């Protein structure tokens, strides 16, 4: 976009995983930082100016990496999964093909699709959950103002019915389409700015929220387009609780109705209740910074069903993720009180691992071993359960209103390296306070399933008991809980359980004609002795350090195939996996010409042998001349 678009320097990166968990900022904790501040880039670990962010219930994070012309997907623990815009993992060239993007600025996601506001192509692109192109809304490369066209669409949102909401920036409107991409309605919103910072969000009632950057406000419209709420003072920038300075992104909590605003030039995120009353500020107003709980021009914000807040911290080149343990209206401090000295339990969601400075290290007990679940994502050592072996998973949680307020606890499991999801898990075990236990296990992974719940004065203990029924690879889990006030928490657990032992790999006997060497000297000696020219391949890689510079990271082996006259070099990692190999066909050594001289076989190519023979013959000639009394 050229006209009406602020020039943006190429400034954003996310080198993953700069992790710092549970740093407290009032009632909000820093869960995870994806990024290495100050280093823009184009590979899979970097951004080059990010605008929109989105998050799905599984915890996966989607980021519109505008200047790299792509959308990137990360797992809940910050691991890179894939990108949309081009093949590979590096930056994409701007393009207009179905799998290409040009300055994407907005992204939204539902259970099966990813929606991208492809701004400079004047369209919205729809992809499936794996990033495969499905559909285009708009006319590629053709701006327009009728129902079938966009003019620099900047933001996109999707509701629970699959309806698509597009902030059509230069047309000053919100376009609404059904789940098939058919136009449904246009809401004329004259205040939508001609700006790529036109964040849009929608709540469960169909209310639409628009970040009106250049009027320094956020507006809420009902489904008919009637203005219901304005947050901020129209046309007046400011830095107090009632003002914005270029609000760029907006999100709505589906449970509480709280409104989150990325207040970009104030370098903060503002949180308001559903009526527009200020509740909390994340960041130091007007002060850009690189530390946790500081931002530098935040533009994207999203919130998941567990209350986790995802912020695109644009000029710090990172995504910051926060967990809102408690957000209440007040004058800067949460209005929470308690007569004891213990930190307060969560006022938003069940806690599996502790609150504030109090961490209980037994939020998860698996096969008799205990683990802390106070992190947003937790890796644990792999537990191997033999087929037929009973297994117990015990979950400990603390609730704001006491143990009797528990409502629902579930464990979602995925196998075969699949990214953790709740909506299509391979296996779901749950218990509901009113409806009892439930098992969703269409492929019969387990048997003898049972759930028990115990309460004491502080905690709720839920134990899932079952027997592994079939061998399965490593699993990942999501542990989730609801309380009686519809507060939700979920923790992603990697490592988890493997059903059945690792398969036994039967070694193959080495054929007699294939020789393997752990050093290049012995390999060259064998090749030359067999009548071949020393291979050039062996000269290129003559030791392990040329491939594995760090100690104990891998090794190299040299192979000689005497039947087919070939050599090869294979490189292995520490687990014995072959990661690189190269082969060469050998050349037979030329037949060496020899001559018989004075009863000796001489090799004309052997300089030392020839020199000794020459010296010997010269001496013999002198002796002959002396015996003949021949003198000069």
């Amino acid at each position: 976009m050229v006209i009406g678009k602020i020039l943006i320097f190429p400034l954003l990166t996310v080198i993953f995983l700069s992790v710092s968990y549970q740093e407290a900022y009032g009632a909000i904790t820093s869960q995870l930082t994806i990024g290495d501040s100050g280093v823009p880039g184009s590979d899979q670990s970097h951004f080059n100016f990010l605008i929109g962010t989105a998050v799905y219930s599984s915890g996966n994070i989607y980021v519109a990496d505008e200047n790299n012309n792509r959308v990137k997907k990360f797992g809940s623990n910050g691991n890179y999964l894939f990108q949309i815009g081009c093949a590979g993992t590096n930056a994409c060239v701007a393009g207009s093909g179905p799998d290409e993007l040009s300055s994407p600025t907005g992204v939204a996601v539902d259970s099966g699709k990813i929606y991208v506001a492809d701004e400079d192509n004047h369209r919205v692109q729809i992809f499936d959950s794996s990033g495969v192109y499905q559909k285009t809304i708009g006319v590629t490369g053709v701006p327009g103002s009728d129902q079938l066209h966009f003019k620099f669409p900047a933001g996109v949102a999707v509701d629970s019915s699959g309806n698509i909401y597009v902030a059509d920036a230069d047309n000053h409107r919100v376009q609404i389409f059904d789940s098939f991409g058919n136009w449904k309605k246009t809401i004329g919103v004259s205040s939508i700015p001609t700006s790529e910072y036109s964040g849009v969000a929608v709540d469960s009632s169909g209310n639409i929220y628009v970040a009106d950057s250049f009027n320094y406000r956020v507006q809420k419209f009902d489904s008919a387009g009637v203005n219901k709420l304005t947050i901020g003072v129209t046309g007046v920038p400011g830095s107090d609780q009632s003002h914005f300075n270029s609000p760029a992104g907006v999100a709505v909590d589906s449970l509480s109705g709280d409104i989150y605003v990325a207040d970009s030039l104030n370098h903060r995120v503002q949180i308001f209740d559903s009526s527009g009353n200020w509740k909390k500020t994340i960041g130091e107003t007007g002060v850009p910074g690189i530390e946790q709980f500081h931002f530098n021009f935040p533009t994207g914000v999203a919130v998941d069903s567990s209350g986790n807040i995802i912020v695109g911290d644009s000029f710090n080149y990172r995504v910051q993720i926060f967990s809102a343990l408690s957000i209440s209206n007040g004058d800067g401090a949460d209005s929470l009180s308690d007569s004891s000295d213990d930190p307060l339990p969560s006022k938003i969601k069940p806690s599996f691992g502790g609150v504030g400075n109090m961490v209980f290290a037994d939020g998860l007990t698996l096969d008799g071993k205990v683990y802390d679940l106070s992190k947003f994502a937790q890796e644990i050592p792999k537990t191997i359960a033999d087929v037929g072996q009973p297994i117990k998973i015990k979950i400990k949680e603390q609730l704001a209103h006491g143990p009797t307020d528990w409502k629902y606890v579930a464990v979602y499991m995925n196998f075969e390296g699949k990214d953790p999801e709740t909506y299509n898990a391979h296996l779901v075990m749950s218990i509901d306070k009113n409806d009892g236990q439930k098992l969703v296990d269409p492929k019969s992974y387990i048997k003898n399933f049972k759930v028990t719940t115990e309460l004491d004065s502080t905690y709720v203990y839920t134990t899932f008991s079952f027997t592994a029924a079939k061998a399965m690879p490593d699993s990942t889990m999501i542990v989730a809980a609801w309380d009686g006030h519809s507060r939700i928490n979920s923790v992603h657990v990697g490592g988890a359980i493997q059903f059945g032992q690792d398969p036994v790999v039967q070694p193959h006997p080495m054929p007699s004609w294939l020789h393997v060497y752990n050093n290049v000297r012995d390999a060259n000696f064998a090749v030359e002795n067999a009548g071949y020219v020393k291979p050039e391949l062996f000269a290129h890689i003559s030791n392990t350090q040329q491939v594995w510079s760090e100690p104990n990271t891998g090794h190299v082996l040299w192979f000689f195939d005497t039947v087919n006259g070939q050599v090869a070099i294979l490189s292995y990692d520490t687990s014995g996996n072959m990661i690189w190999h190269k082969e060469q066909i050998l050349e037979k050594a030329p037949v060496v010409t020899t001559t018989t001289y004075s009863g000796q076989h001489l090799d004309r190519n052997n300089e030392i042998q020839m020199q000794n023979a020459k010296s010997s013959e010269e001496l013999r000639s002198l002796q002959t001349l002396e015996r003949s009394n021949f003198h000069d």
Side-chain angles (χ1 to χ4, degrees):
M1 180 175 178
V2 177
I3 299 173
K5 179 175 177 180
I6 299 173
L7 178 62
I8 300 300
F9 294 100
L11 290 175
L12 183 70
T13 177
V14 169
I15 260 184
F16 65 112
L17 268 171
S18 176
V19 179
S20 178
Y21 289 107
Q22 294 295 325
E23 295 293 330
Y25 181 82
I28 295 175
T29 60
S30 174
Q31 291 285 341
L32 174 68
T33 296
I34 309 174
D36 186 6
S37 298
V39 185
S42 60
D43 61 18
Q44 71 177 37
S45 303
H46 291 77
F47 291 125
N48 193 351
F49 195 73
L50 133 161
I51 298 290
T53 59
V55 63
Y56 190 58
S57 60
S58 61
N60 293 326
I61 300 164
Y62 302 77
V63 183
D65 186 10
E66 183 190 16
N67 286 357
N68 280 327
N69 303 297
R70 63 187 177 184
V71 168
K72 297 170 69 177
K73 178 182 178 181
F74 297 87
S76 59
N77 59 355
N79 57 306
Y80 169 83
L81 297 177
F82 64 77
Q83 69 179 27
I84 299 171
C86 65
T89 58
N90 289 322
C92 304
V93 177
S96 58
D99 295 316
E100 298 175 316
L101 302 170
S102 182
S103 295
T105 54
V107 59
V109 61
D110 62 14
S111 61
K113 295 177 182 177
I114 304 166
Y115 307 82
V116 181
D118 189 11
E119 188 182 40
D120 284 4
N121 279 324
H122 309 288
R123 66 186 183 184
V124 170
Q125 294 287 82
I126 304 175
F127 303 86
D128 68 15
S129 59
S130 300
V132 178
Y133 168 79
Q134 300 293 304
K135 191 175 184 63
T136 295
I137 306 176
V139 180
T140 300
V142 181
S145 57
D146 59 21
Q147 298 170 358
L148 301 178
H149 289 76
F150 301 114
K151 191 174 182 182
F152 300 113
V156 62
V158 59
D159 66 19
S160 58
S161 299
N163 295 310
I164 306 159
Y165 300 74
V166 183
D168 190 7
D170 273 26
N171 282 323
H172 307 288
R173 65 187 182 183
V174 172
Q175 293 266 62
I176 305 174
F177 303 84
D178 66 17
S179 59
F180 299 101
N182 301 309
W183 176 85
K184 292 181 67 176
K185 184 183 297 184
T186 295
I187 298 176
V189 185
S190 60
S191 59
I192 290 183
T194 304
S195 169
E196 59 191 330
Y197 311 128
S198 298
V200 62
V202 60
D203 65 20
S204 57
S205 300
N207 296 306
I208 304 161
Y209 302 77
V210 179
D212 185 1
S213 300
F214 299 150
N215 279 321
Y216 312 109
R217 65 188 179 187
V218 168
Q219 290 194 289
K220 173 183 176 181
F221 303 88
D222 65 16
S223 58
V226 177
N227 180 263
K228 293 295 185 180
L229 177 67
T230 296
I231 307 175
V233 180
T234 301
V236 182
S239 58
D240 61 18
Q241 298 168 2
S242 303
H243 289 76
F244 300 115
N245 194 352
S246 295
V250 61
V252 184
D253 189 317
S254 60
L255 294 177
S256 66
D258 287 347
I259 304 164
Y260 298 75
V261 182
D263 189 6
S264 60
L265 287 180
N266 277 326
H267 309 291
R268 66 187 181 184
V269 171
Q270 294 272 67
I271 306 172
F272 303 85
D273 66 18
S274 58
S275 299
N277 300 307
W278 176 86
K279 296 181 69 174
K280 194 78 178 175
T281 294
I282 311 176
E284 187 172 352
T285 299
V287 181
I290 202 170
E291 302 85 2
Q292 284 183 332
F293 300 105
H294 283 77
F295 304 109
N296 191 349
F297 199 76
T299 54
V301 63
V303 59
D304 68 14
S305 58
S306 296
N308 297 302
I309 307 161
I310 296 87
V311 182
D313 189 6
S314 295
F315 288 161
N316 276 330
Y317 321 120
R318 64 189 179 188
V319 172
Q320 294 205 65
I321 302 170
F322 304 90
S323 176
L325 295 180
S326 170
I327 302 175
S328 60
N329 301 67
D331 57 1
D334 291 309
S335 55
L336 303 179
S337 62
D338 187 71
S339 58
S340 71
D341 294 330
D342 289 335
L344 289 165
S346 169
K347 291 296 180 183
I348 285 295
K349 57 187 183 179
S351 174
F352 296 122
V355 181
N357 296 320
M358 180 184 66
V359 176
F360 43 91
D362 53 350
L364 169 67
T365 303
L366 176 59
D367 194 31
K369 301 180 179 66
V370 297
Y371 304 98
D372 169 24
L373 288 189
S374 61
K375 300 178 181 179
F376 177 70
Q378 174 73 61
E379 289 290 326
I380 66 173
K382 178 171 65 177
T383 297
I384 296 179
D386 289 324
V387 174
Q389 175 184 336
I391 304 169
K392 288 187 177 182
I393 300 175
K394 185 177 182 180
I395 309 300
K396 174 183 176 180
E397 55 178 313
Q398 184 180 12
L399 307 176
H401 293 271
T404 58
D405 194 43
W406 82 276
K407 168 62 178 172
Y408 181 86
V409 183
V411 173
Y412 304 84
M413 297 184 69
N414 286 292
F415 302 100
E416 302 173 347
K418 180 181 175 183
D419 190 53
E421 303 281 4
T422 56
Y423 66 91
N424 63 351
H426 289 127
L427 171 65
V428 181
M429 299 176 286
S430 64
I431 184 168
D432 186 282
K433 188 175 186 178
N434 297 321
D435 298 332
Q437 68 181 43
K438 183 178 180 181
L439 174 65
V440 180
D441 184 16
K443 296 187 177 180
S444 301
Y445 295 114
I446 66 174
K447 59 184 180 180
N448 304 327
F449 172 65
K450 182 182 179 182
V451 190
T452 60
T453 301
E454 300 174 80
L455 283 64
D456 63 18
S457 60
T458 307
Y459 304 112
V460 181
Y461 303 89
T462 304
T463 303
F464 297 90
S465 304
F466 58 92
T467 302
K470 63 168 64 173
M472 289 301 297
D474 294 358
S475 71
T476 54
M477 299 193 310
I478 297 177
V479 177
W482 284 252
D483 67 11
H485 291 71
S486 298
R487 294 160 179 160
I488 305 171
N489 190 18
S490 61
V491 176
H492 299 255
V493 183
I497 309 173
Q498 175 177 308
F499 293 176
Q501 298 290 329
D502 291 321
V504 177
V505 178
Q506 298 295 336
H508 275 298
M510 184 77 71
S512 60
W513 46 265
L514 183 63
H515 303 272
V516 59
Y517 305 91
N518 58 17
N519 66 81
V520 72
R521 183 187 65 245
D522 291 346
N524 273 327
F525 183 79
V527 168
E528 291 182 291
N529 270 358
Y532 294 99
V533 175
K534 184 187 297 185
E536 183 180 353
L537 176 62
F538 286 1
H540 289 164
I541 298 179
S542 58
N543 59 69
T544 290
Q545 287 70 32
Q546 288 177 262
V547 178
W548 300 95
S549 57
E550 298 293 329
N552 303 318
T553 53
H555 66 280
V556 175
L557 294 177
W558 290 261
F559 290 82
F560 175 28
D561 177 353
T562 59
V563 171
N564 298 301
Q566 294 184 9
V567 293
I569 299 178
L570 278 67
S571 177
Y572 300 86
D573 63 18
T574 53
S575 299
N577 302 306
M578 186 185 71
I579 64 166
W580 178 87
H581 67 92
K582 195 169 182 63
E583 302 85 20
Q584 179 185 336
I585 297 176
L586 294 170
E587 296 180 16
K588 277 287 187 181
V591 178
V592 177
T593 304
T594 62
T595 185
T596 301
Y597 194 83
S598 300
Q600 298 180 20
H601 292 281
L602 300 180
D603 182 355
R604 294 183 181 277
N605 294 319
N606 190 320
E607 293 182 3
I608 296 176
Q609 195 178 69
M610 292 299 293
Q611 183 62 42
N612 291 338
K614 179 181 177 182
S615 299
S616 176
E617 289 306 311
E618 287 177 348
L619 178 61
R620 185 180 300 175
S621 296
L622 288 174
Q623 292 172 344
T624 300
L625 290 173
E626 288 178 354
R627 285 196 299 270
S628 303
N629 294 317
F630 180 81
H631 299 284
D632 289 337

